[in-house]
Amino acid sequence: MSKELTSRAADYSQWYNDLVIKGELADYSAVRGCMVIKPYGYALWENMRDQLDKMFKETGHVNAYFPLFVPKSLFEAEEKNAEGFAKECAVVTHYRLKTDPNNKGKLIVDPEAKLEEELVIRPTSEAIIWNTYKSWIQSYRDLPILVNQWANVVRWEMRTRLFLRTAEFLWQEGHTAHATKEEAIIETEKMLDVYAEFVENFMAVPVIKGIKTPNERFAGAEDTYCIEALMQDGKALQAGTSHFLGQNFAKAFDVQFLNKENKKEFVWATSWGVSTRLIGALIMAHSDDQGLIMPPRIAPLQVVIVPIYKGEESKPVIDDKVASLIKDLKALGISVKYDNSDNARPGWKFAEYELKGVPVRVAMGLRDIENNVVELARRDTKEKKSVSFDGLAGYIKDLLEEIQENIFQRALAFRNENIREANTWDEFVNLLDTKAGFVSAHWDGTGETEDKIKEQTKATIRCIPLNNKQEAGTCILTGKPSTQRVLFARAY
RNA sequence: CGGGAUGUAGCGUAGCCCGGUUAUCGCGCCUGGUUUGGGACCAGGAGGUCGCAAGUUCGAAUCUUGCCAUCCCGACCA
């Protein structure tokens, strides 16, 4: 058939691409490094976005929108941030095209329409936002500012991959301003918790919360907190970050406020973001050789119903029975599609919805109606069974929750099996090469050692886990003393 | 951006080395019919600037050069 998938064992990267494209989440576009998110993929993103948005609002945040363009002079204000992103910025230099006098029907950039100042297309919005905050903040009474923005950003990456790293991607970025350092740190940690809760409870992907080493820190941050997930091929994926920015941006943009004592102070900042990259994490954490596996709580479609017709006269009977089920499911807030299209037979539909990862499939034919049952198939285990039609909607509601829990537990077990301790250099290298996954090891705390390890093994320090156990040990590379283990892995 | 591979209809492909009438086959698509419990069958039909652009040649899918895109390995990757 036309929708053959590459197996994970045969070629993991190809399997991933197959799932994205054949599962109709996204497609390549005419623009280098940019993808088209197709309706099925966008529905998934909408569900993720809606849930996150709700959680942001529950924690006191409001949405706003800032410009796509950042004047270069603003962009360069915070030096480290500017430096960190400089080499992947798209830049607008002109504002007009004109017809090419030498080539009919073609357009050229009008050399007379050069901008006085170049506009950087935001790779992240700290600069434009902090420039704006300057005019919003005078007094401690104006604080905190708890703003989030849903937006697209552009980072001109050399090598792109669908969802995991595209030149343009969708994300949210929270930018908050606080009167005290303590409050900003609490905010940073709070949003990391929100991310972890979302990714684990809704996407069913277990994560490790931690802090990045200075080498891996966000450009312009004092501390970068992150959640790290493990993919089925043993590589780690950074699923979200929350940054404590200190007063760096306040100083760069001169954002000060008068405190209760009528003294000027610089504002404390945080920023935090997750992107469509999470979709990549979702795919690689759960899916199998038959296709995607969507966690019920954010699945674009939770239930699909496939009729098994036998002769024209069976159609109205089945359609009628299905209509009552759809009504019951919708009443319980469950999304459902009745696929009674005539251009594919049941077997084809079964395979198709498995590929798309729909959590629950209902098959119903005359035989079932006679026995007052349906055939229920769950995507996570591919188990099929006959279930009574009575109370079916409630049964499915429970089953969706069970599937959600099951795929989380499955991913959690895999993740936990793939965190291993290494105490010597040989052990460390051997684990990375033979088992992949996270390797927990002692490190002397220096950036140089971290660089050397990266150079020799391609593994990076994913994070220093929060609430890390303190124990004396020696660095696996240098043998210098260490007080705690950190998590290494090869990463996306 | 460096090394390797690939690019022929919506998808997967044969042909390319060794240039020569109308570019092969399967799936999908359209029409009609029979069907429907794991990727249906019969009959008829539509669909191609052979990735793009130059060049060589009487003649280019085939040879040459450049460019573009994708994949793999590097470099890069808050």
Side-chain angles (χ1 to χ4, degrees):
Chain A
M1 288 304 301
S2 65
K3 285 208 170 178
E4 290 292 322
L5 298 173
T6 306
S7 71
R8 283 166 292 185
D11 185 342
Y12 193 83
S13 295
Q14 191 56 50
W15 165 79
Y16 174 81
N17 286 331
D18 280 0
L19 257 54
V20 171
I21 292 170
K22 293 177 181 172
E24 297 185 321
L25 294 175
D27 214 340
Y28 295 109
S29 73
V31 190
R32 163 183 231 162
C34 295
M35 64 179 173
V36 173
I37 303 176
K38 297 180 80 171
Y40 190 65
Y42 200 77
L44 173 62
W45 176 242
E46 284 177 316
N47 288 344
M48 291 163 63
R49 189 194 61 192
D50 290 351
Q51 179 57 37
L52 278 167
D53 200 64
K54 193 173 148 208
M55 294 168 86
F56 295 156
K57 285 170 180 161
E58 279 166 1
T59 45
H61 302 85
V62 292
N63 287 328
Y65 188 81
F66 297 85
L68 169 69
F69 305 112
V70 185
K72 189 163 80 65
S73 57
L74 288 185
F75 186 74
E76 62 201 9
E78 208 295 323
E79 244 176 88
K80 282 186 182 158
N81 185 251
E83 255 182 57
F85 284 103
K87 58 189 177 300
E88 50 194 74
C89 286
V91 185
V92 179
T93 56
H94 293 74
Y95 59 86
R96 194 165 63 209
L97 298 169
K98 65 173 190 179
T99 53
D100 185 347
N102 304 317
N103 202 345
K104 209 183 161 216
K106 301 289 182 186
L107 295 171
I108 56 168
V109 173
D110 186 344
E112 287 173 20
K114 196 167 188 305
L115 289 169
E116 284 290 308
E117 178 178 5
E118 293 91 344
L119 296 173
V120 175
I121 298 181
R122 62 182 169 212
T124 180
S125 299
E126 274 79 3
I128 188 77
I129 287 178
W130 277 87
N131 179 258
T132 308
Y133 281 1
K134 183 181 175 167
S135 66
W136 290 7
I137 299 167
Q138 279 91 40
S139 149
Y140 72 92
R141 294 178 197 275
D142 296 324
L143 297 170
I145 292 178
L146 303 172
V147 164
N148 175 65
Q149 134 164 302
W150 289 96
N152 57 339
V153 289
V154 170
R155 297 181 185 179
W156 214 264
E157 303 284 358
M158 291 195 218
R159 197 166 147 188
T160 57
R161 296 199 62 189
L162 295 166
F163 288 114
L164 294 175
R165 180 171 292 116
T166 46
E168 179 193 9
F169 57 92
L170 304 182
W171 77 342
Q172 58 68 217
E173 47 183 327
H175 295 272
T176 68
H178 306 266
T180 66
K181 178 178 183 179
E182 293 66 39
E183 195 184 301
I185 291 175
I186 287 169
E187 167 77 4
T188 311
E189 291 173 350
K190 182 198 284 176
M191 296 324 287
L192 188 77
D193 287 342
V194 166
Y195 286 156
E197 188 192 332
F198 170 74
V199 175
E200 294 201 329
N201 292 346
F202 290 86
M203 301 186 62
V205 176
V207 293
I208 293 170
K209 291 191 273 191
I211 297 188
K212 288 289 187 190
T213 61
N215 277 8
E216 300 278 324
R217 202 176 271 161
F218 175 74
E222 298 282 302
D223 256 320
T224 288
Y225 294 64
C226 63
I227 48 173
E228 291 285 329
L230 189 66
M231 305 294 98
Q232 291 179 53
D233 63 348
K235 284 169 89 172
L237 186 118
Q238 178 178 298
T241 48
S242 182
H243 315 289
F244 168 60
L245 302 174
Q247 294 173 309
N248 295 341
F249 284 90
K251 286 176 179 167
F253 291 92
D254 190 28
V255 185
Q256 303 190 58
F257 67 99
L258 278 177
N259 65 17
K260 285 181 187 173
E261 287 78 43
N262 201 32
K263 284 193 178 144
K264 276 198 164 188
E265 283 187 58
F266 285 108
V267 172
W268 298 85
T270 82
S271 71
W272 27 274
V274 296
S275 72
T276 38
R277 185 178 218 212
L278 280 177
I279 293 175
L282 179 80
I283 296 166
M284 287 198 288
H286 300 311
S287 304
D288 62 21
D289 288 349
Q290 277 68 51
L292 299 164
I293 294 181
M294 294 287 179
R297 286 187 194 164
I298 53 162
L301 179 64
Q302 293 172 306
V303 178
V304 63
I305 304 172
V306 177
I308 315 287
Y309 294 128
K310 281 233 197 314
E312 280 299 318
E313 62 284 353
S314 70
K315 286 187 184 181
V317 181
I318 295 170
D319 288 353
D320 187 58
K321 194 80 177 170
V322 167
S324 77
L325 175 58
I326 290 174
K327 191 164 158 263
D328 292 351
L329 287 171
K330 284 188 174 165
L332 293 175
I334 296 168
S335 61
V336 54
K337 174 178 170 179
Y338 180 38
D339 187 353
N340 59 351
S341 61
D342 198 31
N343 55 355
R345 294 167 78 259
W348 191 90
K349 292 176 185 172
F350 293 169
E352 179 67 12
Y353 291 108
E354 273 165 19
L355 167 58
K356 289 193 158 181
V358 178
V360 171
R361 184 183 73 228
V362 177
M364 198 193 300
L366 284 183
R367 197 172 77 197
D368 300 302
I369 290 175
E370 275 165 28
N371 297 321
N372 196 41
V373 296
V374 297
E375 182 192 81
L376 267 196
R378 51 189 284 182
R379 178 62 182 90
D380 59 336
T381 60
K382 295 204 212 74
E383 189 187 344
K384 287 195 287 197
K385 63 176 171 182
S386 207
V387 176
S388 170
F389 196 84
D390 301 327
L392 182 56
Y395 183 94
I396 289 173
K397 188 180 168 70
D398 294 343
L399 180 60
L400 287 168
E401 280 306 305
E402 194 184 321
I403 292 170
Q404 179 80 29
E405 180 63 15
N406 182 52
I407 64 176
F408 176 72
Q409 289 301 334
R410 201 157 70 179
L412 182 63
F414 175 82
R415 201 277 310 276
N416 288 341
E417 281 163 21
N418 285 286
I419 303 177
R420 301 182 182 85
E421 292 195 350
N423 295 308
T424 67
W425 180 251
D426 287 347
E427 237 175 74
F428 180 75
V429 174
N430 190 43
L431 279 176
L432 284 172
D433 287 343
T434 58
K435 308 270 193 191
F438 289 113
V439 181
S440 175
H442 281 281
W443 161 63
D444 66 16
T446 68
E448 299 82 72
T449 300
E450 194 180 354
D451 285 341
K452 279 182 197 159
I453 293 173
K454 184 180 177 183
E455 220 171 279
Q456 293 179 33
T457 64
K458 287 188 264 177
T460 50
I461 298 176
R462 301 319 302 156
C463 70
I464 302 160
L466 295 185
N467 309 317
N468 210 10
K469 188 176 77 175
Q470 298 296 304
E471 60 166 46
T474 55
C475 174
I476 44 155
L477 185 70
T478 62
K480 289 179 186 164
S482 149
T483 58
Q484 61 180 341
R485 289 174 184 274
V486 297
L487 287 181
F488 288 88
R490 293 189 179 131
Y492 278 97

